[in-house]
Amino acid sequence: VIHAAGGHSFAGRAVQFQRLNALTGQWVTLKKVLLNSKSSARVIYALPIGTNHLRVTMSVNQAGAGFLGAISPTVIWHQT
């Protein structure tokens, strides 16, 4: 579950769910989701087996006037 917080609602704004590609070292967008009226979204995605480094990003354009883009801290998920 993703939740964005700020000075106003982020309803209808898009965020990208990303995974670090271990071979190239680049972040790959797995899914783009829109935030609901509570500035939240549920992401359902089948991850590969093993260790996955995940994050969520919001671009400056999606954040809107007066806000900067954002990148969440990396979460390490072990898929068995």
Side-chain angles (χ1 to χ4, degrees):
V1 174
I2 299 166
H3 181 77
H8 66 81
S9 172
F10 288 101
R13 306 294 179 139
V15 295
Q16 295 86 25
F17 178 62
Q18 297 181 331
R19 178 178 173 269
L20 183 63
N21 182 316
L23 297 176
T24 64
Q26 294 182 324
W27 289 95
V28 177
T29 298
L30 303 175
K31 197 165 192 180
K32 186 175 180 181
V33 295
L34 295 178
L35 300 174
N36 64 19
S37 62
K38 295 182 181 181
S39 299
S40 297
R42 174 176 252 176
V43 178
I44 299 173
Y45 192 87
L47 294 169
I49 293 174
T51 302
N52 294 280
H53 295 257
L54 308 168
R55 73 178 186 184
V56 177
T57 66
M58 178 184 274
S59 71
V60 65
N61 292 335
Q62 286 297 314
F67 290 95
L68 296 174
I71 300 172
S72 74
T74 300
V75 174
I76 298 173
W77 181 265
H78 300 285
Q79 184 68 26
T80 56

